[in-house]
Amino acid sequence: MYSFLPIILLFILFFLNIPIAFSLMGATVFFFGFLSTGMDLDLIMQTFIRSAESFPMLAIPFFIMAGSIMNYSGISKRLMNMAEVLTGHLTGGLAHVNILLSVLMGGISGSANADAAMQCKVLVPEMEKRGYSKGFSAAITAASSIVSPIIPPGIVLIIYALLSNVSVTKMFIAGYVPGIIIAGGLMVTVAIIARKRNYKPSREKRASLREIFAQFKKSVWALILPFVIILGMRIGVFTPTEAGAIAVVITILIGFFVYKELEIAHFPTILRETVYGTSTVMFIIIAANVFGAYLSWERIPFQLTGLLLKFNTSPWSLLLFINIILLIVGMFIDGGAAMIILAPLLIPAALKMGIDPLHLGIVMVVNIMIGGVTPPFGSMMFLTCSLLDLKIQDFIKEIFPFVITLLLVLFILTYIPGIVLFLPNLLN
């Protein structure tokens, strides 16, 4: 029974608000230092160092840097203008712009937190000027930001691909359709709420084809970047890691020579944001790998697989159980950390039930991202509320219609796997 004590300790440390990486390391050291004498503590440090020696993980800092450069190079601004031309004429126009901007940003930033932070600074103030309540503006910003990690190249997609040993390219391609469906569901919800509250469009009339084409020409460099990345990986021109480096180079070139808004003075801030974002993600990944040494030592994944298969006799019941667990965990733990901790535990059982790992990955990503906007501890909830100086209770009142929509989409993606697997299967 003592073999499960580190997991109990881990959740106790989470609830005491100890940083996730330190909680993982503390639980592991506690086990090997006091409960088990079979492994030398020096091997824990070796595992810590070895976990960082991964070429595919270099994709993470590159994509984080590309997302940061977007905000200084004029790319984000062009994407927002393109989104407004396409959806600004709808009832609740700026809220629709908010959602579509997340779709366009997802192909480059790949981070829910980066997307939410950018929109809090750029779009929410304008929404408030147009009569949208701050709570509603924060809620739709947080809800739409979950699209960014799902539409490639999402960082959480990369993490799952590394953990499950599936193709990063196929994982990326599997995210397109679910991301678009989520955006569509949120837009329907916005339309209903906006009609009830009489939120006005941001444009008096629908943009003409001439206006759309004119804005497309201005935004085309920002729009083609995701397709260059995916196509390059698909035809074997570069690896996912090299794709991240290419994304950085392309965004720099666009910022300097096309939009001419990127300056040398911006790079200290860009590098600082990149180092901070990378160190946070990498420290959690490395600590989770160390925690994985304990899990493997005690054969926890095999025990859990047996337990799950004992109580779940079909793939559908197992998926329901996984969804419930992930929704609960996602409310308390950051998405990337939850993925790193839970994926190694859940994948073996899913594979034995014949569940496609690509399908499972998308279900896990969507599920964990929903947890990020759900009370009591959703990370995007805290981010948007802190940036906008908004009371948590005002956010909670506005977020529930969007959470219901997201759960409905999750149900559809869970039990109609063809939606997720359609595009990846075309590559076989």
Side-chain angles (χ1 to χ4, degrees), residues 292-367:
Y294 142 71
L295 294 175
S296 299
W297 188 268
E298 288 297 305
R299 297 176 59 84
I300 301 295
F302 299 98
Q303 295 179 49
L304 184 61
T305 297
L307 189 64
L308 290 175
L309 295 178
K310 181 178 179 181
F311 291 101
N312 295 277
T313 57
S314 72
W316 311 120
S317 62
L318 179 60
L319 284 169
L320 176 62
F321 178 83
I322 288 174
N323 272 330
I324 293 171
I325 293 296
L326 290 174
L327 283 170
I328 294 171
V329 171
M331 295 178 190
F332 298 94
I333 304 176
D334 177 72
M339 176 67 75
I340 292 164
I341 295 168
L342 294 174
L345 298 175
L346 298 175
I347 289 171
L351 292 178
K352 285 203 171 185
M353 277 288 185
I355 298 171
D356 192 290
L358 287 175
H359 178 220
L360 177 68
I362 294 298
V363 169
M364 289 189 70
V365 172
V366 173
N367 202 317

Coordinates of all heavy atoms in Angstrom, one line a residue, residues 292-367:
G292 N 8.1 9.6 -13.3 CA 7.8 8.4 -14.0 C 8.7 7.2 -13.6 O 8.3 6.1 -13.8
A293 N 9.9 7.6 -13.1 CA 10.8 6.5 -12.7 C 10.2 5.8 -11.5 O 10.3 4.5 -11.4 CB 12.2 7.1 -12.3
Y294 N 9.6 6.5 -10.6 CA 8.9 5.9 -9.5 C 7.7 5.0 -10.0 O 7.5 3.9 -9.5 CB 8.4 7.0 -8.5 CG 7.1 6.7 -7.9 CD1 6.9 5.7 -6.9 CD2 5.9 7.4 -8.3 CE1 5.6 5.4 -6.4 CE2 4.7 7.2 -7.7 CZ 4.5 6.1 -6.8 OH 3.3 5.9 -6.3
L295 N 6.9 5.6 -10.9 CA 5.8 4.8 -11.4 C 6.2 3.5 -12.1 O 5.6 2.5 -11.8 CB 5.0 5.7 -12.5 CG 4.4 7.0 -12.0 CD1 3.8 7.8 -13.1 CD2 3.3 6.7 -10.9
S296 N 7.3 3.6 -12.8 CA 7.8 2.4 -13.5 C 8.3 1.4 -12.4 O 8.1 0.2 -12.6 CB 8.9 2.7 -14.5 OG 8.4 3.5 -15.5
W297 N 9.1 1.9 -11.5 CA 9.7 1.1 -10.4 C 8.6 0.3 -9.7 O 8.8 -0.9 -9.4 CB 10.4 1.9 -9.5 CG 11.3 1.2 -8.4 CD1 10.9 0.8 -7.2 CD2 12.6 0.8 -8.6 NE1 11.9 0.2 -6.6 CE2 13.0 0.1 -7.4 CE3 13.5 0.8 -9.6 CZ2 14.2 -0.4 -7.2 CZ3 14.8 0.3 -9.5 CH2 15.1 -0.3 -8.3
E298 N 7.5 0.9 -9.4 CA 6.4 0.3 -8.6 C 5.3 -0.4 -9.6 O 4.3 -0.8 -9.1 CB 5.7 1.3 -7.7 CG 6.6 1.7 -6.5 CD 6.9 0.5 -5.6 OE1 5.9 -0.2 -5.2 OE2 8.1 0.2 -5.4
R299 N 5.6 -0.3 -10.9 CA 4.6 -0.9 -11.9 C 3.2 -0.3 -11.7 O 2.2 -1.0 -11.9 CB 4.6 -2.4 -11.7 CG 6.0 -3.0 -12.0 CD 5.9 -4.6 -11.8 NE 4.9 -5.2 -12.6 CZ 5.1 -5.6 -13.9 NH1 6.3 -5.4 -14.5 NH2 4.1 -6.2 -14.6
I300 N 3.1 1.0 -11.4 CA 1.8 1.6 -11.2 C 1.0 1.6 -12.5 O -0.2 1.3 -12.5 CB 2.0 3.1 -10.7 CG1 2.7 3.1 -9.3 CG2 0.6 3.8 -10.5 CD1 2.0 2.4 -8.2
P301 N 1.6 1.9 -13.7 CA 0.8 1.9 -14.9 C 0.2 0.5 -15.2 O -1.0 0.5 -15.6 CB 1.8 2.3 -16.0 CG 2.9 3.1 -15.3 CD 3.0 2.4 -13.9
F302 N 0.9 -0.5 -14.9 CA 0.4 -1.9 -15.1 C -0.7 -2.2 -14.2 O -1.7 -2.8 -14.5 CB 1.5 -2.9 -15.0 CG 2.6 -2.7 -16.0 CD1 3.8 -2.0 -15.7 CD2 2.5 -3.1 -17.3 CE1 4.8 -1.8 -16.6 CE2 3.5 -2.9 -18.2 CZ 4.7 -2.3 -17.9
Q303 N -0.6 -1.8 -12.9 CA -1.6 -2.0 -11.9 C -2.9 -1.2 -12.3 O -4.0 -1.7 -12.2 CB -1.1 -1.6 -10.5 CG 0.0 -2.4 -10.0 CD 0.4 -1.9 -8.6 OE1 -0.4 -1.8 -7.7 NE2 1.7 -1.7 -8.4
L304 N -2.7 0.0 -12.7 CA -3.8 0.9 -13.1 C -4.5 0.3 -14.3 O -5.7 0.3 -14.4 CB -3.4 2.3 -13.3 CG -4.5 3.3 -13.6 CD1 -5.5 3.4 -12.4 CD2 -3.9 4.7 -13.9
T305 N -3.7 -0.1 -15.3 CA -4.3 -0.7 -16.5 C -5.2 -1.9 -16.1 O -6.3 -2.0 -16.6 CB -3.2 -1.2 -17.5 OG1 -2.4 0.0 -17.9 CG2 -3.8 -1.9 -18.7
G306 N -4.7 -2.8 -15.3 CA -5.5 -3.9 -14.9 C -6.8 -3.5 -14.2 O -7.9 -4.1 -14.4
L307 N -6.7 -2.5 -13.3 CA -7.9 -2.0 -12.6 C -8.9 -1.4 -13.6 O -10.1 -1.6 -13.5 CB -7.4 -0.9 -11.6 CG -8.5 -0.4 -10.6 CD1 -8.9 -1.6 -9.7 CD2 -7.9 0.7 -9.7
L308 N -8.4 -0.6 -14.5 CA -9.3 0.1 -15.5 C -10.0 -1.0 -16.3 O -11.2 -0.9 -16.6 CB -8.5 1.1 -16.4 CG -8.0 2.3 -15.7 CD1 -7.2 3.1 -16.7 CD2 -9.2 3.2 -15.2
L309 N -9.2 -2.0 -16.8 CA -9.8 -3.0 -17.6 C -10.8 -3.9 -16.9 O -11.7 -4.5 -17.4 CB -8.7 -3.9 -18.3 CG -7.8 -3.1 -19.2 CD1 -6.7 -4.1 -19.7 CD2 -8.5 -2.5 -20.4
K310 N -10.6 -4.0 -15.6 CA -11.5 -4.8 -14.7 C -12.9 -4.2 -14.6 O -13.9 -4.9 -14.7 CB -10.9 -5.0 -13.4 CG -11.7 -5.9 -12.4 CD -11.0 -6.0 -11.1 CE -11.9 -6.9 -10.1 NZ -11.2 -7.0 -8.8
F311 N -12.9 -2.9 -14.5 CA -14.2 -2.2 -14.3 C -14.7 -1.6 -15.6 O -15.9 -1.0 -15.6 CB -14.0 -1.1 -13.3 CG -13.8 -1.6 -11.9 CD1 -12.5 -1.6 -11.3 CD2 -14.8 -2.1 -11.1 CE1 -12.3 -2.1 -10.1 CE2 -14.6 -2.6 -9.8 CZ -13.3 -2.6 -9.3
N312 N -14.0 -1.6 -16.7 CA -14.5 -1.1 -18.0 C -14.4 -2.2 -19.0 O -13.3 -2.6 -19.4 CB -13.6 0.2 -18.4 CG -13.8 1.3 -17.4 OD1 -14.8 2.1 -17.5 ND2 -12.9 1.5 -16.5
T313 N -15.5 -2.6 -19.4 CA -15.5 -3.8 -20.3 C -15.6 -3.4 -21.8 O -15.6 -4.3 -22.7 CB -16.7 -4.7 -20.0 OG1 -17.9 -3.9 -20.1 CG2 -16.6 -5.3 -18.6
S314 N -15.6 -2.1 -22.1 CA -15.7 -1.7 -23.5 C -14.9 -0.4 -23.7 O -14.7 0.3 -22.7 CB -17.2 -1.4 -24.0 OG -17.7 -0.3 -23.3
P315 N -14.5 -0.1 -24.9 CA -13.8 1.2 -25.1 C -14.6 2.4 -24.7 O -14.1 3.4 -24.2 CB -13.5 1.2 -26.6 CG -13.5 -0.3 -27.0 CD -14.5 -0.9 -26.1
W316 N -15.9 2.3 -24.9 CA -16.8 3.5 -24.6 C -16.9 3.8 -23.1 O -16.8 4.9 -22.7 CB -18.2 3.2 -25.2 CG -18.2 2.8 -26.6 CD1 -18.6 1.6 -27.1 CD2 -17.6 3.5 -27.7 NE1 -18.4 1.5 -28.5 CE2 -17.7 2.6 -28.9 CE3 -16.9 4.7 -27.9 CZ2 -17.3 3.0 -30.1 CZ3 -16.5 5.0 -29.2 CH2 -16.7 4.2 -30.3
S317 N -17.0 2.7 -22.3 CA -17.0 3.0 -20.9 C -15.7 3.5 -20.4 O -15.6 4.3 -19.5 CB -17.4 1.7 -20.1 OG -16.5 0.6 -20.4
L318 N -14.6 2.9 -21.0 CA -13.2 3.4 -20.6 C -13.0 4.9 -20.9 O -12.5 5.6 -20.1 CB -12.2 2.5 -21.3 CG -10.7 2.9 -20.9 CD1 -10.4 2.8 -19.5 CD2 -9.7 2.1 -21.7
L319 N -13.5 5.3 -22.1 CA -13.4 6.7 -22.5 C -14.2 7.6 -21.6 O -13.8 8.7 -21.3 CB -13.8 6.8 -24.0 CG -12.8 6.4 -25.0 CD1 -13.5 6.3 -26.4 CD2 -11.6 7.3 -25.1
L320 N -15.4 7.1 -21.2 CA -16.2 7.9 -20.2 C -15.4 8.1 -18.9 O -15.4 9.2 -18.4 CB -17.5 7.2 -20.0 CG -18.4 7.9 -19.0 CD1 -18.8 9.3 -19.4 CD2 -19.7 7.0 -18.7
F321 N -14.9 7.0 -18.4 CA -14.1 7.0 -17.2 C -12.9 8.0 -17.3 O -12.7 8.8 -16.4 CB -13.6 5.6 -16.8 CG -12.8 5.6 -15.5 CD1 -13.4 5.6 -14.3 CD2 -11.4 5.6 -15.6 CE1 -12.7 5.5 -13.1 CE2 -10.7 5.6 -14.4 CZ -11.3 5.5 -13.2
I322 N -12.2 7.9 -18.4 CA -11.0 8.8 -18.7 C -11.5 10.2 -18.7 O -10.8 11.1 -18.1 CB -10.3 8.3 -20.0 CG1 -9.6 7.0 -19.8 CG2 -9.3 9.4 -20.4 CD1 -9.0 6.5 -21.1
N323 N -12.6 10.5 -19.4 CA -13.0 11.9 -19.5 C -13.4 12.4 -18.1 O -13.1 13.6 -17.8 CB -14.3 11.9 -20.4 CG -13.9 12.1 -21.8 OD1 -12.9 12.7 -22.1 ND2 -14.7 11.6 -22.7
I324 N -14.0 11.6 -17.3 CA -14.4 12.1 -15.9 C -13.1 12.4 -15.1 O -13.0 13.5 -14.5 CB -15.3 11.1 -15.2 CG1 -16.6 10.9 -15.9 CG2 -15.5 11.4 -13.7 CD1 -17.5 9.8 -15.4
I325 N -12.2 11.5 -15.2 CA -10.9 11.7 -14.4 C -10.2 13.0 -14.9 O -9.8 13.8 -14.1 CB -10.0 10.5 -14.6 CG1 -10.6 9.3 -13.9 CG2 -8.6 10.8 -14.0 CD1 -10.8 9.4 -12.4
L326 N -10.1 13.1 -16.2 CA -9.4 14.3 -16.8 C -10.1 15.6 -16.5 O -9.4 16.6 -16.2 CB -9.2 14.1 -18.3 CG -8.3 13.0 -18.8 CD1 -8.3 12.8 -20.3 CD2 -6.9 13.3 -18.3
L327 N -11.4 15.6 -16.5 CA -12.1 16.8 -16.2 C -11.9 17.3 -14.8 O -11.7 18.5 -14.5 CB -13.6 16.6 -16.4 CG -14.1 16.7 -17.9 CD1 -15.6 16.2 -18.0 CD2 -13.9 18.1 -18.5
I328 N -11.9 16.3 -13.9 CA -11.6 16.6 -12.5 C -10.2 17.1 -12.3 O -9.9 18.2 -11.7 CB -11.9 15.4 -11.6 CG1 -13.4 15.1 -11.6 CG2 -11.5 15.7 -10.1 CD1 -13.7 13.8 -11.0
V329 N -9.2 16.4 -12.8 CA -7.8 16.7 -12.7 C -7.5 18.1 -13.4 O -6.8 18.9 -12.8 CB -6.9 15.6 -13.3 CG1 -5.4 16.1 -13.3 CG2 -7.0 14.4 -12.4
G330 N -8.1 18.3 -14.6 CA -7.8 19.5 -15.3 C -8.3 20.8 -14.6 O -7.8 21.9 -14.8
M331 N -9.2 20.6 -13.6 CA -9.7 21.8 -12.8 C -8.6 22.2 -11.8 O -8.7 23.3 -11.3 CB -11.0 21.4 -12.1 CG -12.2 21.2 -13.0 SD -13.6 20.7 -12.0 CE -14.8 20.2 -13.2
F332 N -7.7 21.3 -11.5 CA -6.8 21.6 -10.4 C -5.3 21.7 -10.9 O -4.5 22.3 -10.2 CB -6.8 20.5 -9.3 CG -8.2 20.4 -8.7 CD1 -9.1 19.5 -9.1 CD2 -8.5 21.2 -7.6 CE1 -10.4 19.4 -8.5 CE2 -9.7 21.1 -7.0 CZ -10.7 20.2 -7.4
I333 N -5.0 21.1 -12.0 CA -3.6 21.0 -12.5 C -3.5 21.6 -13.9 O -4.4 21.4 -14.7 CB -3.1 19.6 -12.5 CG1 -3.3 18.9 -11.1 CG2 -1.6 19.5 -12.9 CD1 -2.9 17.4 -11.1
D334 N -2.4 22.3 -14.1 CA -2.1 22.9 -15.4 C -2.1 21.8 -16.5 O -1.7 20.7 -16.3 CB -0.8 23.6 -15.4 CG -0.4 24.2 -16.8 OD1 -1.0 25.2 -17.2 OD2 0.5 23.6 -17.4
G335 N -2.6 22.2 -17.8 CA -2.8 21.3 -18.8 C -1.6 20.4 -19.2 O -1.7 19.2 -19.3
G336 N -0.5 21.1 -19.4 CA 0.8 20.4 -19.8 C 1.2 19.4 -18.7 O 1.6 18.2 -19.0
A337 N 1.1 19.8 -17.4 CA 1.5 18.9 -16.3 C 0.5 17.8 -16.2 O 1.0 16.6 -16.0 CB 1.5 19.7 -15.0
A338 N -0.8 18.0 -16.4 CA -1.7 16.9 -16.3 C -1.5 15.9 -17.4 O -1.6 14.7 -17.2 CB -3.2 17.5 -16.4
M339 N -1.2 16.4 -18.6 CA -0.9 15.5 -19.7 C 0.3 14.6 -19.4 O 0.3 13.4 -19.6 CB -0.6 16.3 -21.0 CG -0.2 15.5 -22.2 SD -1.5 14.4 -22.7 CE -2.6 15.6 -23.5
I340 N 1.4 15.2 -18.9 CA 2.6 14.5 -18.6 C 2.4 13.5 -17.5 O 3.0 12.4 -17.6 CB 3.7 15.5 -18.2 CG1 4.1 16.4 -19.4 CG2 5.0 14.8 -17.7 CD1 4.9 17.7 -19.0
I341 N 1.6 13.8 -16.5 CA 1.4 12.8 -15.4 C 0.5 11.7 -15.8 O 0.7 10.5 -15.6 CB 0.8 13.6 -14.2 CG1 1.8 14.6 -13.7 CG2 0.4 12.6 -13.1 CD1 1.2 15.6 -12.7
L342 N -0.6 12.0 -16.5 CA -1.7 11.1 -16.8 C -1.5 10.2 -18.0 O -2.0 9.1 -18.1 CB -3.0 11.8 -16.8 CG -3.5 12.4 -15.4 CD1 -4.8 13.2 -15.6 CD2 -3.7 11.3 -14.4
A343 N -0.9 10.8 -19.1 CA -0.8 10.1 -20.3 C -0.1 8.7 -20.2 O -0.6 7.7 -20.7 CB -0.1 10.9 -21.4
P344 N 1.0 8.6 -19.5 CA 1.7 7.3 -19.3 C 0.8 6.3 -18.6 O 1.0 5.1 -18.8 CB 3.0 7.7 -18.6 CG 3.2 9.1 -18.8 CD 1.8 9.7 -18.9
L345 N -0.1 6.8 -17.7 CA -0.9 5.9 -16.9 C -2.1 5.4 -17.7 O -2.6 4.3 -17.6 CB -1.5 6.7 -15.7 CG -0.4 7.1 -14.7 CD1 -1.1 7.9 -13.6 CD2 0.4 6.0 -14.1
L346 N -2.7 6.3 -18.6 CA -3.9 5.9 -19.3 C -3.7 5.3 -20.7 O -4.5 4.5 -21.2 CB -4.7 7.2 -19.5 CG -5.2 7.9 -18.3 CD1 -5.9 9.2 -18.6 CD2 -6.1 7.0 -17.4
I347 N -2.5 5.6 -21.4 CA -2.3 5.0 -22.7 C -2.3 3.5 -22.7 O -2.9 2.9 -23.6 CB -1.0 5.6 -23.3 CG1 -1.2 7.1 -23.6 CG2 -0.6 4.9 -24.5 CD1 0.0 7.9 -24.0
P348 N -1.6 2.8 -21.8 CA -1.6 1.3 -21.9 C -3.0 0.7 -21.9 O -3.3 -0.2 -22.6 CB -0.8 0.9 -20.6 CG 0.1 2.1 -20.4 CD -0.7 3.3 -20.7
A349 N -3.8 1.2 -21.0 CA -5.2 0.7 -20.9 C -6.0 1.0 -22.2 O -6.7 0.1 -22.7 CB -5.9 1.3 -19.7
A350 N -5.8 2.2 -22.7 CA -6.5 2.5 -23.9 C -6.1 1.7 -25.1 O -6.9 1.2 -25.9 CB -6.3 4.0 -24.3
L351 N -4.8 1.4 -25.2 CA -4.3 0.6 -26.3 C -4.8 -0.9 -26.2 O -5.1 -1.5 -27.2 CB -2.7 0.6 -26.3 CG -2.1 1.9 -26.7 CD1 -0.5 1.8 -26.6 CD2 -2.5 2.3 -28.1
K352 N -4.9 -1.4 -25.0 CA -5.4 -2.8 -24.8 C -6.9 -2.8 -25.2 O -7.3 -3.9 -25.6 CB -5.2 -3.2 -23.4 CG -3.8 -3.6 -23.0 CD -3.7 -4.5 -21.8 CE -2.3 -5.0 -21.7 NZ -2.2 -6.0 -20.6
M353 N -7.6 -1.7 -25.1 CA -9.0 -1.7 -25.5 C -9.2 -1.4 -26.9 O -10.3 -1.3 -27.4 CB -9.7 -0.6 -24.6 CG -10.2 -1.1 -23.3 SD -11.6 -2.3 -23.5 CE -12.0 -2.5 -21.7
G354 N -8.1 -1.2 -27.7 CA -8.2 -0.9 -29.1 C -8.5 0.5 -29.4 O -8.9 0.8 -30.6
I355 N -8.3 1.5 -28.5 CA -8.5 2.9 -28.8 C -7.3 3.4 -29.5 O -6.2 3.3 -29.1 CB -8.8 3.6 -27.4 CG1 -10.0 3.1 -26.7 CG2 -8.9 5.1 -27.7 CD1 -10.2 3.6 -25.3
D356 N -7.6 4.1 -30.6 CA -6.5 4.7 -31.4 C -5.7 5.8 -30.5 O -6.4 6.7 -29.9 CB -7.0 5.4 -32.6 CG -5.9 5.7 -33.6 OD1 -5.2 6.7 -33.3 OD2 -5.8 5.1 -34.7
P357 N -4.4 5.7 -30.4 CA -3.7 6.7 -29.6 C -3.9 8.2 -30.1 O -3.8 9.1 -29.3 CB -2.2 6.3 -29.7 CG -2.2 5.4 -30.9 CD -3.5 4.7 -31.0
L358 N -4.1 8.4 -31.4 CA -4.3 9.7 -31.9 C -5.7 10.2 -31.4 O -5.8 11.4 -30.9 CB -4.3 9.7 -33.4 CG -3.0 9.6 -34.2 CD1 -3.3 9.5 -35.7 CD2 -2.1 10.8 -33.9
H359 N -6.7 9.4 -31.4 CA -8.0 9.7 -30.9 C -7.9 10.0 -29.4 O -8.4 11.1 -29.0 CB -9.0 8.6 -31.2 CG -10.4 8.8 -30.6 ND1 -11.1 7.8 -30.0 CD2 -11.1 9.9 -30.6 CE1 -12.3 8.3 -29.7 NE2 -12.3 9.6 -30.0
L360 N -7.2 9.2 -28.7 CA -7.1 9.4 -27.2 C -6.4 10.7 -27.0 O -6.8 11.5 -26.1 CB -6.3 8.2 -26.6 CG -6.0 8.4 -25.1 CD1 -7.3 8.3 -24.3 CD2 -5.0 7.3 -24.6
G361 N -5.3 11.0 -27.8 CA -4.6 12.2 -27.5 C -5.4 13.5 -27.7 O -5.4 14.4 -26.9
I362 N -6.3 13.6 -28.8 CA -7.1 14.7 -29.0 C -8.1 14.8 -27.8 O -8.4 15.9 -27.3 CB -7.8 14.7 -30.3 CG1 -6.8 14.8 -31.4 CG2 -8.9 15.8 -30.5 CD1 -6.0 16.1 -31.5
V363 N -8.7 13.7 -27.4 CA -9.7 13.7 -26.3 C -9.0 14.2 -25.1 O -9.6 15.0 -24.3 CB -10.3 12.3 -26.1 CG1 -11.1 12.2 -24.8 CG2 -11.2 11.9 -27.3
M364 N -7.8 13.8 -24.8 CA -7.1 14.2 -23.6 C -6.8 15.7 -23.6 O -7.0 16.4 -22.7 CB -5.8 13.4 -23.4 CG -6.0 12.0 -23.0 SD -4.5 11.2 -22.6 CE -4.1 12.0 -21.0
V365 N -6.3 16.2 -24.8 CA -6.0 17.6 -24.9 C -7.2 18.5 -24.7 O -7.2 19.5 -24.0 CB -5.3 17.9 -26.3 CG1 -5.1 19.4 -26.5 CG2 -3.9 17.2 -26.4
V366 N -8.3 18.1 -25.4 CA -9.5 18.9 -25.3 C -10.0 18.9 -23.9 O -10.4 20.0 -23.3 CB -10.6 18.4 -26.3 CG1 -12.0 19.1 -26.1 CG2 -10.2 18.6 -27.7
N367 N -10.0 17.7 -23.3 CA -10.5 17.6 -21.9 C -9.8 18.4 -20.9 O -10.3 19.2 -20.1 CB -10.5 16.1 -21.6 CG -11.4 15.7 -20.5 OD1 -11.5 16.5 -19.5 ND2 -12.1 14.6 -20.6

